[in-house]
Amino acid sequence: QKLRFLKVFVWGEGYLRYKLLKDEIRRVEVGLSSTDDFVRAFLAEADRVDAFFKPEFQDALDHTDLLVQRAADYAGSDIACVSGLASLSEALASIVRKLQDLRDFASVNSEGFRKAAKKLDKRTSSDRFSDLTTRQLPCRRFWHCTEVDAAVSACQSATALLDDAA
């Protein structure tokens, strides 16, 4: 329930289709599918989520770099107008919100994948959880939030520069 609260509505199609993986686990349980079939579905779903995340994140990083550079240029100039300062501050706040949404997206999906892998092991007595969560998922960009945190930190530093310039 808590994870649903963090979802960004307009990105609905990009999120993990958890029910699909649960259905695949049920098929494994009743013998209609193999554990390998589940792993293929799991990895295909991870690739699909990552394919959604990568361009959204790259776009946010590109905007972050541009805004941080503009803030540095603006803070270093002798000419500062209040409206320019306000609009740059608003743009930085907006990109921070998007980055936080991306972090939530990554977190919700990572937790869903972790739960699906754990459920597979519990329901089928397989031993795939460790391989899936320590070897397979870390290859996907959404699995790592440190880049998002670094971009948020850069925006916050740029905002502080603007505050000092005001």
Side-chain angles (χ1 to χ4, degrees):
Q1 296 304 74
K2 190 174 13 173
L3 295 178
R4 285 187 191 156
F5 175 74
L6 295 174
K7 279 188 164 185
V8 176
F9 179 74
V10 296
W11 294 344
E13 290 300 312
Y15 285 92
L16 162 68
R17 295 174 295 189
Y18 187 72
K19 185 179 179 328
L20 178 128
L21 295 180
K22 277 178 50 177
D23 291 346
E24 191 63 36
I25 291 170
R26 283 189 202 103
R27 284 193 286 281
V28 172
E29 284 179 297
V30 296
L32 296 175
S33 209
S34 71
T35 304
D36 289 339
D37 292 332
F38 171 84
V39 169
R40 276 191 289 281
F42 183 95
L43 295 176
E45 192 64 8
D47 289 341
R48 189 187 67 74
V49 169
D50 209 40
F52 175 85
F53 181 80
K54 281 180 183 178
E56 289 287 338
F57 184 56
Q58 191 58 54
D59 180 59
L61 284 181
D62 292 345
H63 278 87
T64 298
D65 291 343
L66 178 69
L67 291 171
V68 166
Q69 184 58 52
R70 282 189 183 162
D73 293 345
Y74 196 85
S77 93
D78 292 335
I79 304 168
C81 79
V82 175
S83 65
L85 184 70
S87 84
L88 192 49
S89 291
E90 287 172 20
L92 282 163
S94 177
I95 200 66
V96 165
R97 282 190 299 278
K98 182 172 183 177
L99 288 163
Q100 290 167 336
D101 286 345
L102 284 164
R103 182 178 40 221
D104 291 345
F105 176 90
S107 178
V108 165
N109 282 295
S110 296
E111 183 65 13
F113 279 110
R114 189 192 66 73
K115 285 183 174 194
K118 187 174 180 180
K119 187 174 290 237
L120 174 73
D121 280 4
K122 182 179 176 184
R123 295 256 181 99
T124 66
S125 299
S126 78
D127 191 19
R128 297 292 183 101
F129 177 79
S130 179
D131 178 57
L132 290 171
T133 59
T134 61
R135 289 188 43 225
Q136 302 293 335
L137 287 176
C139 300
R140 279 46 178 210
R141 195 158 188 192
F142 73 85
W143 192 254
H144 305 281
C145 289
T146 54
E147 290 178 281
V148 175
D149 293 337
V152 167
S153 180
C155 286
Q156 290 167 336
S157 295
T159 301
L161 269 176
L162 292 175
D163 290 346
D164 291 344

